[in-house]
Amino acid sequence: MKSYIIKTFGCQMNEHDSEILAGMLEAKGYRSTEDTGKADLVLLNTCCIRATAENKVFSYLGRLKSQKLSNPAMIIGVCGCMPQQEGMAAKLRQLFPYVDLIFGTHNVQQLPIFIDRILAERKPVLEILAEPDEIVEGLPAARKEGLRAWVTIMHGCNNYCTYCIVPYVRGRERSREPDDIVKEMAGLARDGFKEVVLLGQNVNSYGKDLKNPLDFAGLLEKLDGASGIERIRYMTSHPRDFNEELIRTIARLGKVCEHFHLPVQSGSSRILEKMHRGYNREHYLSLVEKIRRHIPEATITTDIMVGFPGEDDGDFRATMDLVREVRFDSSYTFVYNARPGTPAAGMTEQVPDEIKKQRIQDLIKLQNTISMEKNEEEEGSQQEVLVEGESNIGPGLLYGKSRGNKTVVFAGDKTLTGSTAHVTITRAHLAYLEGLLIKQ
Ligand code: SAH
Ligand code: SF4
Ligand code: F3S
């Protein structure tokens, strides 16, 4: 029996593509292994959102060289976002001539054919499609066991934020047919999954390209009826298209969780405009106000970037002030990194590294203080926790997520795994909440 390793870099969308790549390999008789030394296929599903993501791939490929020498039959493949960039496939071939297979984000479904070709012809395959084709339905996915399943609702992104590489490597927006999504969810419920996370780079754009238009609120409405699935989450929504009607829909639907991940990127309207985000500080703050008015218990998280070209002390202060004003439950913080081919990479006024470093440190410090305070505010509250299993924090402890997406740890029997437990929060930590199971 042949064996494979898939190493995934990047976002949930890539993680889910890897589940599909794995599904196709398993359908071909391959089995997953941990042992690079013995694997018949090592596939790197790559990310290029920042240089750090690419550097990880370069060093992983460098380390594979000696293994390829001792096991020349091993197929090494590189796929995903990185080779989809102009000129990158050629660069990879030149730097790592022992790579056998390179393909992009638009021809994932061809992996089995590529492998057959390499085995028959014994020569490298390099195939990148410049444009996406129709969405291919029905590909098998080898999902990791658990309660939570990722479901892609749309591919690509049309936003072209000036710093971002994603639209260039993932193509234009394409929405899946609602019926295909419903069907997939029914299958997931049959397989025992309790929670789905709907994936798209900007889920608010869902449906704009469908023959029979249905918007994201309409899709949520349709999916909320799915029997067997208890929770619905989504990633990522864009503040520009998020509106009060969608907030009301989310407030009304029982399965859609009260967690809003709304990447703000910057608190300065001037920088937001240069980023081409399509909203300003006031719009963002008014959205937060509406969320809190309709759903007082909602958790709000975000992505923030520091050091975008031209960001001065005043712009950064505006970001810090916005963080203080909104009081995010948590945030993912990033240092701006110029991506070749994006408009921002060519902007003058790139911010020096020392300033970026100082700003990210200040921002993380502030966010940690606020995250801790927000967690403390939950002490004494009751939370519905979908129990995922035994916690590695200590013996006899279980863990799961609250509807607001916070990790909750409490003492209980492991037979509770997969069920919803009611837990009183007794103590806040920065990264999780501690609680006591309420006996039913
Ligand atoms: N589609 C999502 C984001 C996907 S990328 C959205 O629009 O919110 C995830 C995060 O990476 C972004 O929110 C942004 O904060 C960060 N990011 C994207 N490009 C970057 C770059 N060039 N340098 C640093 N961070 C970047
Ligand atoms: Fe990138 Fe902007 Fe699209 Fe998000 S919305 S993927 S940040 S271009
Ligand atoms: Fe990275 Fe591609 Fe996702 S660039 S963040 S893996 S869409």
Side-chain angles (χ1 to χ4, degrees):
M1 196 179 291
K2 297 209 164 186
S3 61
Y4 73 91
I5 293 181
I6 300 180
K7 176 86 185 136
T8 311
F9 304 81
C11 63
Q12 276 104 336
M13 241 146 297
N14 247 23
E15 292 282 352
H16 183 48
D17 282 350
S18 289
E19 293 178 335
I20 291 172
L21 292 162
M24 289 188 293
L25 290 172
E26 298 201 354
K28 217 173 153 42
Y30 278 72
R31 287 294 162 261
S32 149
T33 174
E34 302 284 314
D35 185 354
T36 335
K38 296 219 178 75
D40 296 289
L41 168 70
V42 179
L43 184 60
L44 274 56
N45 192 7
T46 63
C47 170
C48 54
I49 195 85
R50 285 169 286 273
T52 42
E54 292 194 326
N55 291 340
K56 281 187 204 153
V57 173
F58 287 136
S59 63
Y60 198 101
L61 280 171
R63 287 198 302 275
L64 281 177
K65 184 176 184 177
S66 59
Q67 277 155 16
K68 179 74 174 178
L69 283 174
S70 57
N71 177 14
M74 172 172 81
I75 297 176
I76 300 178
V78 181
C79 66
C81 294
M82 218 169 135
Q84 195 70 44
Q85 295 172 96
E86 211 169 310
M88 183 54 86
K91 182 173 170 185
L92 285 165
R93 276 225 51 79
Q94 194 199 353
L95 289 174
F96 309 100
Y98 46 91
V99 167
D100 306 277
L101 170 62
I102 300 179
F103 60 103
T105 55
H106 303 318
N107 48 359
V108 165
Q109 71 281 2
Q110 285 180 296
L111 173 64
I113 303 170
F114 293 151
I115 292 177
D116 288 344
R117 235 162 78 191
I118 293 169
L119 292 175
E121 297 170 13
R122 297 271 156 207
K123 54 179 200 229
V125 167
L126 189 163
E127 278 209 27
I128 313 279
L129 298 181
E131 293 290 329
D133 231 330
E134 292 294 298
I135 297 176
V136 183
E137 288 292 340
L139 296 176
R143 288 184 162 92
K144 292 200 191 86
E145 272 173 52
L147 304 171
R148 186 175 305 119
W150 290 311
V151 173
T152 303
I153 61 166
M154 58 185 300
H155 301 267
C157 180
N158 290 354
N159 281 326
Y160 290 95
C161 301
T162 52
Y163 51 80
C164 185
I165 194 88
V166 171
Y168 305 90
V169 295
R170 288 270 165 178
R172 63 186 148 76
E173 286 174 359
R174 290 144 287 145
S175 305
R176 284 180 71 197
E177 285 296 333
D179 289 346
D180 291 326
I181 302 172
V182 168
K183 207 156 87 192
E184 183 171 359
M185 274 186 53
L188 291 170
R190 277 197 301 276
D191 290 344
F193 288 97
K194 302 273 192 240
E195 178 176 308
V196 297
V197 185
L198 308 175
L199 295 180
Q201 292 295 352
N202 170 14
V203 294
N204 308 96
S205 288
Y206 175 80
K208 286 184 183 156
D209 56 324
L210 290 173
K211 268 192 227 86
N212 301 312
L214 177 77
D215 65 5
F216 183 57
L219 178 72
L220 287 179
E221 196 109 37
K222 212 175 163 82
L223 299 181
D224 200 63
S227 61
I229 298 295
E230 291 172 19
R231 285 180 171 184
I232 298 173
R233 300 184 189 276
Y234 50 88
M235 284 282 271
T236 301
S237 43
H238 194 297
R240 186 194 52 219
D241 311 310
F242 218 92
N243 55 34
E244 196 159 3
E245 194 225 316
L246 181 55
I247 298 171
R248 279 207 198 95
T249 307
I250 293 170
R252 187 162 40 79
L253 297 176
K255 290 181 184 169
V256 181
C257 290
E258 297 74 24
H259 168 216
F260 293 79
H261 183 68
L262 273 179
V264 66
Q265 311 300 355
S266 169
S268 156
S269 294
R270 194 178 73 88
I271 295 296
L272 287 169
E273 194 175 335
K274 287 182 74 174
M275 288 176 165
H276 201 215
R277 288 290 287 177
Y279 57 87
N280 58 19
R281 178 189 176 93
E282 288 66 38
H283 172 79
Y284 191 88
L285 289 173
S286 83
L287 261 184
V288 169
E289 183 277 318
K290 287 183 184 106
I291 292 171
R292 296 214 161 118
R293 179 151 40 83
H294 290 285
I295 315 176
E297 75 278 20
T299 54
I300 304 179
T301 58
T302 199
D303 292 355
I304 307 173
M305 193 189 300
V306 300
F308 184 84
E311 182 187 73
D312 62 21
D313 288 343
D315 296 312
F316 178 62
R317 262 200 309 277
T319 296
M320 295 285 275
D321 286 345
L322 180 124
V323 169
R324 278 188 208 97
E325 192 168 338
V326 175
R327 298 176 57 74
F328 294 105
D329 288 275
S330 62
S331 46
Y332 293 102
T333 52
F334 304 102
V335 171
Y336 166 75
N337 180 243
R339 299 283 71 209
T342 60
M347 289 179 187
T348 51
E349 304 183 285
Q350 298 286 330
V351 176
D353 283 349
E354 317 83 73
I355 296 184
K356 287 183 184 166
K357 226 188 248 165
Q358 186 61 52
R359 287 184 184 161
I360 193 98
Q361 281 171 9
D362 293 350
L363 177 62
I364 292 172
K365 197 163 162 232
L366 172 65
Q367 181 58 57
N368 282 349
T369 307
I370 295 171
S371 295
M372 189 64 200
E373 288 169 5
K374 293 290 283 184
N375 286 351
E376 280 165 357
E377 286 169 21
E378 303 216 18
E379 288 178 358
S381 71
Q382 278 189 25
Q383 299 292 330
E384 232 180 83
V385 181
L386 182 55
V387 186
E388 292 183 36
E390 291 176 290
S391 163
N392 52 20
I393 287 177
L397 296 176
L398 302 174
Y399 78 101
K401 293 270 191 218
S402 66
R403 289 182 65 94
N405 210 32
K406 293 192 181 177
T407 301
V408 180
V409 174
F410 61 99
D413 194 278
K414 64 174 187 240
T415 53
L416 287 175
T417 302
S419 68
T420 302
H422 295 267
V423 177
T424 306
I425 303 305
T426 50
R427 186 160 170 217
H429 299 260
L430 183 58
Y432 67 100
L433 304 169
E434 217 175 289
L436 264 182
L437 181 66
I438 302 169
K439 297 269 177 269
Q440 268 112 7

